[in-house]
Amino acid sequence: MEIHFEKRRMITKFLDPALNFAENERVTEIRVDPLTKQTTRLLHFPIRWAQKTDLGEIVERSLEFGCPFCPQMIDMVTPKFPTELTSKERIQRGSAVVFPNMFPYDTYSAVAIFSGEHFKPMAEFEPQLLRDGFCASQEYLTSVQASDPGAPLYHTINWNYMPLAGGTIIHPHLQIIAGSTGTNYHRRILESSAAYAAANSSSYWADLIEEETRLGERLIGKVGKTTWLVCFAPKGIIDVMAIFEGVLTISDIKESDWMDFSRGLSAAMKLLDSRGFYSLNMAIYSGQGAEHFWTHAKLVPRALLPPMNASDINYFNTLHNEVLTIFEPEQICAEAKGFIEKA
Ligand SMILES: [Zn+2]
């Protein structure tokens, strides 16, 4: 067991105008991710969180542009798969449909629509709906790997929910990507996980669950064979992680596991909604079949910071590859437990 949760407390002193210029101090906490060793800064920055935004106007405007993902449009305007990839023109599962992404991010790039509704509020995603979207996405990735017998590809399923999180189309949709070049972060976690296993003769993911269970500060709970926790060194203002226990690749996830994950995800989205968030980024990172890596997901809400609606992404993220947050993961976990228990 070699998991360390390292915190560095940096103290800044200043003469505070609010205290008639008497000396005051403030703490910046720098947390080191136990796997990647990347740092995150936890700031004690008082923000009065804004009330929920009315999304009616933005949804209406998006319909004026026309939506290619609404049910009456999909057949006419979305592409079909070439026969060498799958015998199906588009992959369907319940109300979910997967088709090629005409604006690809890598050799294999697809879009999954999983709701007939153009807009779905964050707290209203039913687990069955999410499961069908993930099952259809998985079928695409499994077809991709079967059609490309070369080296294992990097597989991910991703979601930008709402424009604030980078989604250019409001209609809920996942993006599924496979290619020979993983993203910087995906490559890093695979390499770090392999290095951990070689050094410790154990799985980082099994050790992480064991250690977080022992500490009881950030482990939200379990839904079936998925374990939910709030990351010690978040990759966004809040970072909720779901680990598929013992599952090596996305293609290995069973339908019942997808249902467990979808129940947890639906509950986590209700938690974020209760905090006034209305957009998020999500990624599911697949292993490539090696025993050391367990497939897992990360969920990060996105926000505009009051009072000026400042972006939650600034030079730290763009130019320093560093994350800032004002939310203490342990406090978020305490709140999240009630939601996951009801999943
Ligand atoms: Zn639509």
Side-chain angles (χ1 to χ4, degrees), residues 7-14 24-30 41-45 325:
K7 292 179 191 173
R8 300 175 195 154
R9 284 167 60 83
M10 318 313 283
I11 293 168
T12 305
K13 291 186 191 299
F14 56 95
N24 198 359
E25 60 180 43
R26 214 153 258 169
V27 178
T28 306
E29 189 173 295
I30 300 179
R41 284 162 203 251
L42 174 55
L43 314 181
H44 297 276
F45 194 70
T325 183

Side-chain angles (χ1 to χ4, degrees), residues 63 67-70 117-118 171:
L63 284 169
C67 175
F69 296 166
C70 274
E117 287 175 73
H118 179 68
H171 202 122

Side-chain angles (χ1 to χ4, degrees), residues 52-120:
K52 226 179 257 183
T53 303
D54 179 11
L55 298 171
E57 191 192 332
I58 190 172
V59 171
E60 205 143 291
R61 193 145 46 94
S62 73
L63 284 169
E64 284 168 20
F65 296 143
C67 175
F69 296 166
C70 274
Q72 68 275 21
M73 295 301 289
I74 289 180
D75 279 352
M76 284 186 288
V77 301
T78 66
K80 299 174 183 176
F81 289 116
T83 49
E84 62 265 28
L85 194 68
T86 163
S87 58
K88 299 174 182 173
E89 292 182 338
R90 299 185 185 90
I91 297 169
Q92 290 194 301
R93 164 80 195 233
S95 58
V97 51
V98 175
F99 49 83
N101 191 338
M102 283 198 284
F103 306 101
Y105 298 98
D106 208 324
T107 313
Y108 304 101
S109 205
V111 174
I113 310 298
F114 53 95
S115 159
E117 287 175 73
H118 179 68
F119 169 65
K120 249 184 136 42

Side-chain angles (χ1 to χ4, degrees), residues 6 36 45 197 207 213 249 260 294:
E6 183 188 349
T36 64
F45 194 70
D207 288 356
T213 303
T249 73
D260 293 336
W294 289 2

